[in-house]
Amino acid sequence: MSLQEKLEALKHETLAKIEAATDLVVLNQIRVETLGKKGPITEVLRGMKDLSAEERPKVGSFANEIRDALAEQLEARKEVLEQEAMDAALAKERIDVTLSGKQMPIGTRHVLTQIMEEMEDIFVGMGYQVVEGYEVEKDHYNFERMNLPKDHPARDMQDTFYITDEILLRTHTSPVQARTMEKHDFSKGPLRMVSPGKVFRRDTDDATHSHQFHQIEGLVIDKNVTMGDLKGTLEVLMQKMFGEDREIRLRPSYFPFTEPSVEVDVSCFKCGGQGCNVCKQTGWIEILGAGMVHPNVLEMSGIDSTKYSGFAFGLGPDRIAMLRYGVNDIRDFYHNDIRFIHQFKGE
Ligand code: PHE
């Protein structure tokens, strides 16, 4: 077989292989085997030195022709295979944007959290700071610093979960009063704070009692703070919570840490004071306890009660939520029944 015939045969054989190649790896192998340094074409070109002077250019240009033709076919086939690979990948990764989506259920903040945040916002708007206290508290702060020494009969008002003789689950948020007062620097201005959180009492759970519930404590201390400031503050709060037309009234009461102490009622938001099922036909709803901070409480926290005075109050978010949303059983707030909780979607 002459060199030309060999090259011709090689061309046909290689073209067939290129045509048959179905992936890029195989195609590259064919390229290396045929056109590479150790391939047959290079070999032919190398053997040219043994040819006669007139044969040499003919064979040379023929070999080049075949090499170019093969290179061109390899390139063309490569493009086809690359396109096929791309089409396959696109087909596989295709996303049908018209398919209907999966529903992602979005949770809601607990209704009590919503109520507490709403009230915090109102107080922050009036220049109060929001302070967090401890749910596990010392007897010292929960009772003694609130003017309730160990043998004080009014301790019975709040049945207590004791952990040790000195450590307990706080029965109210009032200990935060003492903790905040003793730290406050009055050279920087008056003390105005609210403190929301959980409280605990050894009550038997029923529709209106829960061994765990919530309070928001409020405390303002400055020079010349009066009962009028207390009344005005609580009136604004009630109007923001229950509507502009609300009025409040104060009734005498007793707490060891305030003197005088009051029970605060708000005019019924449902009937406007006519009497209905929400206000038990009285026109008024009992909503919170409050009073002027007892001088003993001020003094025990290092505040001069001849110079400073203040008011304090304790609100129940559970009760507010029950009234506002007509919830009849306080336990509903704590059973985590999603059907109940989801009714309060908030904003
Ligand atoms: N700590 C009182 C309670 O739990 C409420 C209260 C707070 C009353 C502040 C007066 C002043 O019942």
Side-chain angles (χ1 to χ4, degrees):
M1 224 198 292
S2 74
L3 264 181
Q4 270 102 326
E5 283 168 344
K6 267 194 198 163
L7 283 169
E8 196 64 49
L10 176 71
K11 180 180 166 188
H12 285 294
E13 192 186 313
T14 310
L15 284 178
K17 277 195 209 159
I18 292 172
E19 203 48 50
T22 51
D23 73 69
L24 289 161
V25 179
V26 172
L27 192 68
N28 194 45
Q29 263 168 18
I30 298 170
R31 190 181 59 79
V32 173
E33 277 167 18
T34 331
L35 306 179
K37 278 193 195 120
K38 289 176 190 151
I41 294 185
T42 314
E43 206 181 291
V44 169
L45 291 172
R46 241 184 240 134
M48 295 232 300
K49 60 181 186 317
D50 302 328
L51 295 175
S52 65
E54 68 210 60
E55 256 189 321
R56 212 176 284 164
K58 273 197 242 157
V59 174
S61 72
F62 189 62
N64 280 338
E65 234 172 72
I66 285 178
R67 189 191 55 200
D68 292 347
L70 289 178
E72 199 179 300
Q73 282 309 306
L74 279 164
E75 193 51 39
R77 184 70 185 147
K78 187 175 161 216
E79 273 170 32
V80 169
L81 289 179
E82 277 174 351
Q83 186 60 46
E84 277 176 15
M86 174 68 88
D87 289 347
L90 284 176
K92 208 167 102 193
E93 291 164 21
R94 184 192 166 107
I95 295 169
D96 183 351
V97 292
T98 66
L99 273 180
S100 52
K102 276 190 204 135
Q103 264 236 317
M104 294 295 225
I106 293 177
T108 59
R109 286 173 311 149
H110 194 279
V111 57
L112 294 176
T113 308
Q114 292 179 35
I115 296 261
M116 287 192 287
E117 288 182 357
E118 185 181 337
M119 287 197 272
E120 281 170 40
D121 283 349
I122 293 170
F123 282 110
V124 167
M126 297 195 282
Y128 287 58
Q129 50 169 327
V130 180
V131 177
E132 284 210 39
Y134 301 115
E135 289 170 11
V136 178
E137 186 50 284
K138 291 181 174 157
D139 183 280
H140 175 74
Y141 284 103
N142 193 82
F143 288 130
E144 297 194 25
R145 289 282 291 278
M146 299 317 290
N147 207 24
L148 281 145
K150 282 256 155 53
D151 52 1
H152 198 289
R155 283 196 177 208
D156 292 352
M157 287 163 77
Q158 304 182 353
D159 269 341
T160 310
F161 288 114
Y162 277 95
I163 293 168
T164 68
D165 280 354
E166 298 302 330
I167 297 174
L168 45 73
L169 297 183
R170 67 177 178 187
T171 55
H172 51 179
T173 43
S174 298
V176 188
Q177 285 190 33
R179 287 188 175 274
T180 314
M181 274 188 267
E182 69 186 12
K183 275 193 292 209
H184 190 74
D185 178 358
F186 282 92
S187 72
K188 301 223 165 85
L191 166 56
R192 292 191 207 95
M193 72 95 185
V194 286
S195 184
K198 293 189 184 83
V199 300
F200 308 85
R201 289 191 197 172
R202 282 184 58 175
D203 277 328
T204 306
D205 292 0
D206 62 25
T208 54
H209 296 86
S210 168
H211 62 280
Q212 179 209 296
F213 57 104
H214 293 78
Q215 286 189 338
I216 298 182
E217 194 78 10
L219 176 68
V220 172
I221 314 270
D222 197 2
K223 291 181 175 143
N224 304 316
V225 176
T226 69
M227 201 98 180
D229 298 316
L230 170 64
K231 189 173 181 201
T233 304
L234 294 176
E235 202 166 66
V236 169
L237 175 69
M238 286 304 130
Q239 288 169 350
K240 295 208 171 175
M241 292 300 295
F242 289 110
E244 270 178 41
D245 298 336
R246 297 284 67 72
E247 291 170 34
I248 62 168
R249 73 175 184 191
L250 312 185
R251 285 180 290 110
S253 185
Y254 173 77
F255 299 104
F257 30 90
T258 46
E259 182 59 38
S261 301
V262 290
E263 209 74 58
V264 182
D265 298 339
V266 61
S267 60
C268 183
F269 61 89
K270 191 174 176 200
C271 64
Q274 304 306 303
C276 69
N277 61 327
V278 170
C279 58
K280 299 190 187 116
Q281 312 305 326
T282 64
W284 294 93
I285 298 168
E286 189 184 317
I287 200 84
L288 61 98
M292 301 306 290
V293 179
H294 197 292
N296 289 354
V297 173
L298 293 173
E299 295 291 341
M300 279 189 279
S301 294
I303 296 170
D304 184 345
S305 64
T306 62
K307 286 198 189 133
Y308 287 93
S309 59
F311 63 75
F313 55 85
L315 279 154
D318 301 72
R319 186 163 154 69
I320 289 174
M322 288 172 83
L323 287 167
R324 190 194 266 180
Y325 299 115
V327 174
N328 296 321
D329 195 324
I330 192 173
R331 293 169 293 192
D332 287 339
F333 294 131
Y334 300 102
H335 284 164
N336 288 335
D337 182 335
I338 207 82
R339 294 166 303 177
F340 174 80
I341 289 171
H342 260 287
Q343 295 177 79
F344 307 97
K345 286 233 192 297
E347 328 77 63

